Amino acid sequence: MRWLVQHFLSEYLRPWKLASFATGFGLLLAGADYYRAPDWDYAISFIMATLTYLTAPWSVRVLKDRRWRWAPLALFWYYFTVDGCYWLYWRSVKPEALDMREANFYASSCLYWLCGFIWLHRGPLRKLLRRQEDDAAGQDELTVRQMAARVLVTIALFWMAFFIYSTTTGKERVTGLCRQIAPGMDVGQLTAFAEDHGLGPWRHLNSGTKLAYLAEARTAGRHACRIEFEGGKVRNATYSHAD
């Protein structure tokens, strides 16, 4: 039992895993500060990131190795990490934030399994990067091509998680932006606002514009502000959704 505890601790304390965890956690903190989403703060970032670090690799290994006896526990940790702790936290801190629960579930699920695969390797980073097998360690090593493929898949999954989160939270976010576009705002002010908040296209706006749609780039234009002009100034701005 003591050996087992030491083994798991040694894996969690490996420098490359701690460094990657710190990097990801730092990005979560930066995102919480930058996007100011109603369900994204420092505390929930720490809780969910830590639980993911501790449980995701084990959950992935259980399913990968077909240890079906442990599958219910692996699925429990998956659910509790991506949704259970989220529900408990916001239920006690700010219940209205739970409106974002479904969006969080999809994005966090992608990140949970992605991180599980990233931290699945047991051993030093140098062994993960070797092309040849290390007979002494008795582990299969990745070739450069396989490593490159994993990096590309990782990037793709991160982008997918970000897009899913952005899309499912877009209505509330863009509606808030549309409300900030006040009647009487001139084209120059509107252009600066759109550029600062990722809305576009704004380059075609001019004093003769009568109607324009400024869509959010990060959701591929699905969420936008419909803006009516009069005399070169904003007359009305409302939220618009493209199916």
Side-chain angles (χ1 to χ4, degrees):
M1 183 65 179
R2 182 178 179 182
W3 174 87
L4 188 62
V5 172
Q6 290 177 340
H7 172 72
F8 276 103
L9 284 178
S10 67
E11 286 302 321
Y12 289 127
L13 296 178
R14 291 197 182 277
W16 73 271
K17 291 186 177 181
L18 290 174
S20 59
F21 171 76
T23 301
F25 183 53
L27 291 174
L28 286 176
L29 296 183
D33 186 62
Y34 180 78
Y35 291 111
R36 300 188 182 277
D39 67 332
W40 192 353
D41 66 5
Y42 292 164
I44 196 62
S45 296
F46 174 77
I47 293 169
M48 297 181 73
T50 302
L51 285 173
T52 298
Y53 184 70
L54 295 176
T55 68
W58 181 81
S59 297
V60 169
R61 189 169 296 280
V62 166
L63 299 181
K64 174 179 174 292
D65 295 344
R66 301 179 182 179
R67 300 175 184 173
W68 305 127
R69 184 178 65 174
W70 294 100
L73 183 58
L75 293 176
F76 165 78
W77 281 120
Y78 153 65
Y79 164 76
F80 184 76
T81 301
V82 305
D83 187 62
C85 69
Y86 174 94
W87 181 85
L88 288 172
Y89 176 78
W90 289 117
R91 180 76 174 178
S92 60
V93 174
K94 189 171 66 174
E96 58 269 24
L98 291 173
D99 291 342
M100 312 292 285
R101 185 179 179 185
E102 182 179 358
N104 168 78
F105 179 80
Y106 293 128
S108 295
S109 292
C110 291
L111 292 175
Y112 182 86
W113 296 113
L114 171 62
C115 290
F117 277 104
I118 292 174
W119 293 321
L120 183 63
H121 173 69
R122 291 175 176 171
L125 182 60
R126 63 178 178 273
K127 289 186 177 181
L128 185 63
L129 300 176
R130 283 180 189 166
R131 298 189 62 180
Q132 302 298 326
E133 293 185 353
D134 189 340
D135 294 332
Q139 293 180 335
D140 294 332
E141 308 301 337
L142 297 176
T143 65
V144 172
R145 181 176 296 180
Q146 289 172 326
M147 189 62 186
R150 285 198 177 188
V151 170
L152 291 176
V153 170
T154 298
I155 293 173
L157 288 175
F158 266 115
W159 179 87
M160 184 184 301
F162 177 75
F163 180 76
I164 291 173
Y165 180 83
S166 297
T167 301
T168 51
T169 60
K171 180 177 180 179
E172 181 172 339
R173 184 174 55 254
V174 176
T175 298
L177 292 177
C178 297
R179 290 172 180 165
Q180 295 180 48
I181 301 176
M185 183 181 288
D186 61 35
V187 172
Q189 293 172 321
L190 178 61
T191 298
F193 179 86
E195 188 174 6
D196 289 342
H197 293 85
L199 300 176
W202 46 263
R203 296 183 185 278
H204 68 286
L205 297 176
N206 55 63
S207 58
T209 302
K210 299 297 183 182
L211 177 66
Y213 286 85
L214 295 180
E216 189 182 45
R218 62 188 278 194
T219 57
R222 291 180 60 83
H223 303 280
C225 295
R226 182 182 187 275
I227 305 170
E228 301 173 22
F229 295 85
E230 185 175 2
K233 295 185 177 181
V234 174
R235 183 169 69 87
N236 186 40
T238 56
Y239 168 77
S240 177
H241 178 257
D243 290 322

